[in-house]
Amino acid sequence: MGYNLTQKIIKDHLVKGEMITGTEIGIRIDQTLTQDSTGTMAYLQLEAMEIDKVRTKKSVAYIDHNMLQQGYENADDHKYIQTVTHKHGVYFSRPGNGICHQVHLERFGVPGETLLGSDSHTPTGGGIGMLAIGAGGLDVAVAMGGGTYYITMPKVVNVKLTGKLKPFVTAKDIILEVLRIMSVKGGVSKVIEYTGEGVKTLSVPERATITNMGAELGATTSVFQSDNVTYEFLKAQDREIVWKELLPDNDAVYDETIEIDLNELEPLVAMPHSPDNVEKVANLKDLKVNQVCIGSCTNSSYLDMMKVAKILKGNTVHPDVSLVIAPGSKQVLNMLAQNGALADMIGAGARILESGCGPCIGMGQAPATDAVTLRTFNRNFKGRCGTVSAGAYLLSPETAAVSAIQGVLTDPTTCNTDIQVIIPDKFLINDNMIVAPAKDGDKVEVIKGPNIKPFPLNEELKDNVNGKVLIKVEDNITTDHIMPSNAKLLPFRSNIPHLANFCLTPCDEQFPARAKENNGGMIVGGDNYGQGSSREHAALVPLYLGIKAVLTKSFARIHKANLINSGILPLTFSNKDDYDNISVNDELVMDNTIEQVKKDKIIVHNKTKNVDYVMDVDLSDKELNMIIAGGKINFIKNMN
Ligand code: MIC
Ligand code: SF4
C-alpha cells in the first residue's frame, strides 16, 4: 500500500507514535514562524522556558498584523520581538516586509519540511509542498526549543481536481467550492490533499490560496505536491536549491475523495458571516457595494495583484466604492512599482495600503454602518472588519476588482479584458528587510516596554471543581468572539488583564464582569467551539478570568490545544442533547475530578437542576498530565 503526501512527510518527521489514524503522534518541526500579535506571547514563553537558542532549521518572526502605531504599545511589541529574536537565533522580518505567509512562501518555505506557525493560516506553506500547521504560541515556542509537536494522526482527504479553470475563475473559487462542500467544521482532524491533472495547471501562489483558506475548513492542514511548477517558482525566487520532488505514490490510499471539475466551476462568493456560506456570484449580481479590499495572506501575490492592475487599468473606481489594496509583500509591491502596475492601480483611484494584514484583522478600514464590503480575505465573521452591522463577502481578486469599477457585485466572466499573467522568470529579490539573528546572542539586551505584562499561569487541577455556568453560546463560536481583535485591542496582545475586559463580549457584554463577580466558573458552547484564529489569548484570557472548564458539543483543534496548554478542562457532552438542558447561572459540580478525568469520562452534576451530565474527556495521556499539572508550562517545569 502506497503513501499519500501527508503520510510521506509525517513518516519522515515521526518521533513518537505510529501512523494510525486517530492516535497521537509526535513530529519533528523543521521551521517555525510567528507574527507580532501572537509572537509577543510566544517569545515570553520561550524566555520562561529558558531556551537560549532556537534549535529548528529556521525560525522567523514577522511583523505584519499590528501595524498602526496609534500609541506606544505596538512599537513596544515590535521592539521586544526584534530584540528577543535577535538574542535567541530567530530571523526577524521587519514591518513593511510583508505578510508572514506570503513572505515565508517566497523566501523560506521548503518542500517536504514541516512548519509550525503561531497563526492559523500557516498551512499556506502547503502550496509549496510543506506540512505547515497552525498552533498556539506556546506550542510554537516549544518547537523552537527543539520540542516535539503532538497532533492526532489525521485522516487524509483527496480533493481530486480535473480539467482547467476558465478565464476569471480562480483558485479562490476552488477553495470556496471545497468550503461549500465540506463546511467550516468538515476538515476537523483531517489533512486536505489536492491531486489530479488539474493540480498541474495551478501555480504555487494559486495553490497557496487554496491551502491558506483550508484553515477555514478546520483542517489540520492542506498540501499540494512539489513538482515542476514548484521548481519553477523556487527558481524564480533564486531558491531552486531547496526543491525536491514530492508526489503521492500511485497506489496511495485516502480516507475520503472529493472530485471537482475545474471546467465546471463558476465565480463564487462566501456571504456574511461565515466562509462556508457560499453562493454563485451570478446569483447575487447587482448587490450594491460600498467597500472593496484586496489583499491578505489568501490573495496578495504578484499574480493576484497583476491581474487586479490589468482590470483597473484605464478605469475609475465607482464613486460609491472605496477600494483599498494591500500587496502581500515588499517583493510584490516593489515589482508592481517597477513595472508600472502600481501606477495603474493608483490611476484608477485605488488606495494603496502597506504590505500587512490591515483590514483583514480590523486594523483600519472599518466599513460604514450596514455597508457591503467585498474582500479577497479568508474570514468574514460578524464584526471582524470592525463594523458589526457590515456584511463582508469573500471572493477572488478578479471579482473584487471588476465589482469595484461597477459599484455592484459583478460576475467577472462578463469582462473581456486580457488578464493573463505568468509567473516571472525572476522575482525581485532583496532580503534587506530580514534581519539575521545575532552571532553573539548573549550580548543582546531584550527591551520590554511597559505594555509587556507577564502571562497568567494556572494552578494544579483541584479534586473538586465547582462553578456557575457564566455563559452559554451556540455552534461555530470563533476565537474572534472569545477574544475579539481590532485596532483598539490588538495593541494589547501582551497585556492579558486589559484584554480580559473584552472576553466573549460580542456574545454577551456582561461576561467579563460576571466572571469576575463569581471568581470564575464554566463556559458552555455548541459544536466547533473556538474555530478560526490560533490566538492563545482566547484561552489565556479565560484562564485569567478563572474559567475552570469549557463544556461543548465539540471543539476546534487549535483552540482545544490552547485550552489544554492553559490547564482549562475541555469537556464534550456524551449526549449532545444535554446541551439543551443547561442554563446560564446553573451551579455545576465535579467531584473526584482527578480520578474521573483519568477514566476518559467525568460526571458533571448540575446542582441547580439536580441532573448529571456525562462528559467525554478526550485527552491523550500527555494532555491529561498537562491538565493535572495546570497547563503546559507547569508540566514542563515539573519534568525538569
Ligand atoms: C487571524 O487571521 O485571525 C489572525 C489574526 O491572523 C490570527 C492570529 C491572531 O489572532 O493573532 C490567526 O489566524 O491565527
Ligand atoms: Fe493576517 Fe488576515 Fe492572514 Fe490573519 S488571515 S494572517 S490577519 S492577512
Side-chain angles (χ1 to χ4, degrees):
M1 189 182 81
Y3 289 122
N4 53 46
L5 290 175
T6 310
Q7 291 163 335
K8 283 190 176 182
I9 306 179
I10 291 180
K11 189 166 154 281
D12 275 357
H13 292 83
L14 196 66
V15 184
K16 292 263 165 61
E18 284 177 62
M19 293 204 302
I20 302 169
T21 308
T23 62
E24 188 179 70
I25 53 164
I27 54 173
R28 185 169 28 82
I29 296 298
D30 298 316
Q31 300 193 346
T32 64
L33 72 77
T34 59
Q35 40 87 340
D36 46 328
S37 61
T38 54
T40 43
M41 216 32 93
Y43 295 107
L44 285 169
Q45 288 158 339
L46 185 87
E47 288 189 295
M49 288 185 286
E50 296 175 3
I51 293 164
D52 282 354
K53 271 260 168 309
V54 295
R55 297 196 192 109
T56 45
K57 288 190 188 166
K58 182 136 294 166
S59 286
V60 190
Y62 294 91
I63 305 287
D64 54 0
H65 282 62
N66 230 336
M67 305 278 274
L68 299 176
Q69 268 82 65
Q70 287 162 307
Y72 64 90
E73 292 88 357
N74 286 357
D76 273 10
D77 286 356
H78 296 181
K79 189 98 234 139
Y80 168 62
I81 295 175
Q82 180 157 7
T83 51
V84 77
T85 53
H86 206 50
K87 189 177 184 72
H88 293 284
V90 180
Y91 285 78
F92 178 74
S93 171
R94 295 167 60 188
N97 198 42
I99 306 175
C100 53
H101 309 304
Q102 175 66 26
V103 179
H104 209 86
L105 197 71
E106 292 167 356
R107 306 304 306 142
F108 295 107
V110 176
E113 290 202 347
T114 51
L115 167 68
L116 194 70
S118 64
D119 192 280
S120 63
H121 291 103
T122 303
T124 313
I128 208 168
M130 298 191 89
L131 193 81
I133 304 178
L138 180 52
D139 285 325
V140 177
V142 169
M144 282 194 266
T148 302
Y149 179 60
Y150 291 87
I151 48 167
T152 305
M153 180 66 200
K155 287 188 176 164
V156 184
V157 181
N158 178 6
V159 178
K160 198 166 163 199
L161 305 177
T162 56
K164 193 175 181 318
L165 292 169
K166 290 182 293 211
F168 288 96
V169 185
T170 70
K172 183 63 156 270
D173 302 307
I174 301 178
I175 185 61
L176 287 173
E177 174 67 0
V178 179
L179 273 152
R180 190 187 67 75
I181 297 169
M182 292 183 74
S183 90
V184 288
K185 51 182 193 236
V188 177
S189 305
K190 297 175 187 169
V191 172
I192 318 296
E193 205 168 298
Y194 291 84
T195 68
E197 285 303 301
V199 161
K200 294 186 194 143
T201 67
L202 299 172
S203 64
V204 165
E206 290 174 301
R207 295 175 182 185
T209 292
I210 295 170
T211 57
N212 169 286
M213 210 171 164
E216 274 52 70
L217 297 163
T220 306
T221 190
S222 304
V223 65
F224 274 85
Q225 64 193 34
S226 170
D227 53 12
N228 215 23
V229 173
T230 324
Y231 177 82
E232 292 301 329
F233 175 81
L234 283 167
K235 187 157 171 268
Q237 290 286 355
D238 222 357
R239 297 203 301 119
E240 66 271 28
I241 191 153
V242 302
W243 180 79
K244 72 167 189 185
E245 189 172 60
L246 191 70
L247 304 172
D249 288 335
N250 287 333
D251 54 347
V253 174
Y254 294 90
D255 296 286
E256 286 169 43
T257 300
I258 292 173
E259 290 202 25
I260 298 178
D261 181 355
L262 301 183
N263 300 306
E264 298 288 311
L265 221 52
E266 290 181 42
L268 298 172
V269 53
M271 300 186 296
H273 297 285
S274 182
D276 62 359
N277 193 10
V278 175
E279 184 52 88
K280 287 182 184 165
V281 171
N283 292 346
L284 288 181
K285 70 175 177 7
D286 298 338
L287 175 75
K288 190 135 180 42
V289 173
N290 307 97
Q291 185 194 51
V292 176
C293 304
I294 301 179
S296 92
C297 56
T298 321
N299 278 117
S300 61
S301 67
Y302 174 78
L303 215 68
D304 284 334
M305 292 293 150
M306 285 304 295
K307 289 182 178 167
V308 167
K310 283 181 182 246
I311 293 168
L312 292 179
K313 187 173 181 168
N315 284 301
T316 300
V317 174
H318 190 278
D320 296 338
V321 174
S322 168
L323 168 67
V324 294
I325 303 181
S329 68
K330 169 169 163 279
Q331 179 182 79
V332 175
L333 182 54
N334 217 347
M335 287 176 74
L336 300 178
Q338 284 190 351
N339 70 13
L342 190 61
D344 294 334
M345 292 173 168
I346 296 169
R351 303 163 62 187
I352 307 300
L353 304 178
E354 65 180 320
S355 296
C357 300
C360 178
I361 187 61
M363 292 302 275
Q365 308 301 329
T369 308
D370 297 334
V372 166
T373 173
L374 306 187
R375 303 181 154 220
T376 66
F377 307 166
N378 46 40
R379 289 186 175 142
N380 58 348
F381 306 143
K382 197 175 173 108
R384 180 173 161 106
C385 62
T387 306
V388 178
S389 68
Y393 294 72
L394 308 175
L395 33 60
S396 71
E398 287 83 331
T399 310
V402 174
S403 304
I405 299 167
Q406 299 302 329
V408 290
L409 183 59
T410 306
D411 182 343
T413 56
T414 57
C415 175
N416 47 24
T417 314
D418 176 10
I419 56 159
Q420 277 250 330
V421 184
I422 46 164
I423 293 276
D425 290 342
K426 270 272 156 287
F427 287 98
L428 178 67
I429 293 154
N430 180 357
D431 289 330
N432 63 342
M433 293 292 276
I434 296 170
V435 184
K439 291 211 169 60
D440 196 352
D442 296 352
K443 301 214 168 72
V444 177
E445 186 200 347
V446 176
I447 300 174
K448 282 194 190 123
N451 192 41
I452 318 272
K453 302 268 188 282
F455 57 89
L457 272 182
N458 212 332
E459 294 166 353
E460 281 180 12
L461 182 66
K462 301 226 166 46
D463 219 19
N464 289 297
V465 176
N466 307 326
K468 265 191 193 168
V469 176
L470 298 172
I471 190 168
K472 181 177 171 184
V473 289
E474 68 271 27
D475 290 350
N476 294 323
I477 287 296
T478 71
T479 43
D480 277 10
H481 290 99
I482 308 170
M483 189 58 259
S485 262
N486 52 40
K488 291 195 187 93
L489 293 180
L490 214 56
F492 295 97
R493 280 295 182 92
S494 30
N495 188 340
I496 298 295
H498 180 76
L499 289 184
N501 300 321
F502 302 89
C503 182
L504 277 164
T505 48
C507 303
D508 179 352
E509 289 264 341
Q510 297 312 314
F511 174 77
R514 199 173 318 120
K516 284 180 186 169
E517 262 163 44
N518 287 284
N519 256 327
M522 323 278 183
I523 292 173
V524 174
D527 260 323
N528 200 24
Y529 178 82
Q531 67 157 331
S533 152
S534 66
R535 64 190 71 142
E536 60 196 335
H537 304 76
L540 290 172
V541 162
L543 160 62
Y544 178 84
L545 289 171
I547 300 302
K548 294 163 187 136
V550 183
L551 289 69
T552 68
K553 292 187 191 169
S554 65
F555 287 95
R557 178 185 67 88
I558 307 179
H559 184 58
K560 183 179 171 195
N562 287 336
L563 287 174
I564 298 167
N565 286 349
S566 304
I568 298 176
L569 259 173
L571 304 174
T572 47
F573 292 100
S574 270
N575 172 3
K576 283 193 179 187
D577 293 343
D578 284 343
Y579 168 89
D580 299 326
N581 183 22
I582 197 166
S583 318
V584 175
N585 286 328
D586 284 359
E587 284 276 356
L588 304 184
V589 180
M590 291 178 236
D591 287 329
N592 299 325
T593 321
I594 299 175
E595 204 53 34
Q596 286 208 70
V597 289
K598 287 184 184 160
K599 293 188 185 131
D600 298 346
K601 299 256 184 238
I602 186 163
I603 306 291
V604 176
H605 179 62
N606 185 333
K607 246 169 100 177
T608 316
K609 297 206 164 82
N610 196 21
V611 282
D612 285 346
Y613 309 118
V614 181
M615 304 297 302
D616 291 329
V617 187
D618 184 13
L619 300 173
S620 69
D621 289 350
K622 190 174 199 48
E623 291 170 332
L624 192 64
N625 289 331
M626 275 186 219
I627 287 283
I628 294 173
K632 191 165 190 153
I633 297 242
N634 290 336
F635 172 72
I636 294 172
K637 277 192 189 149
N638 294 350
M639 283 200 319
N640 295 333

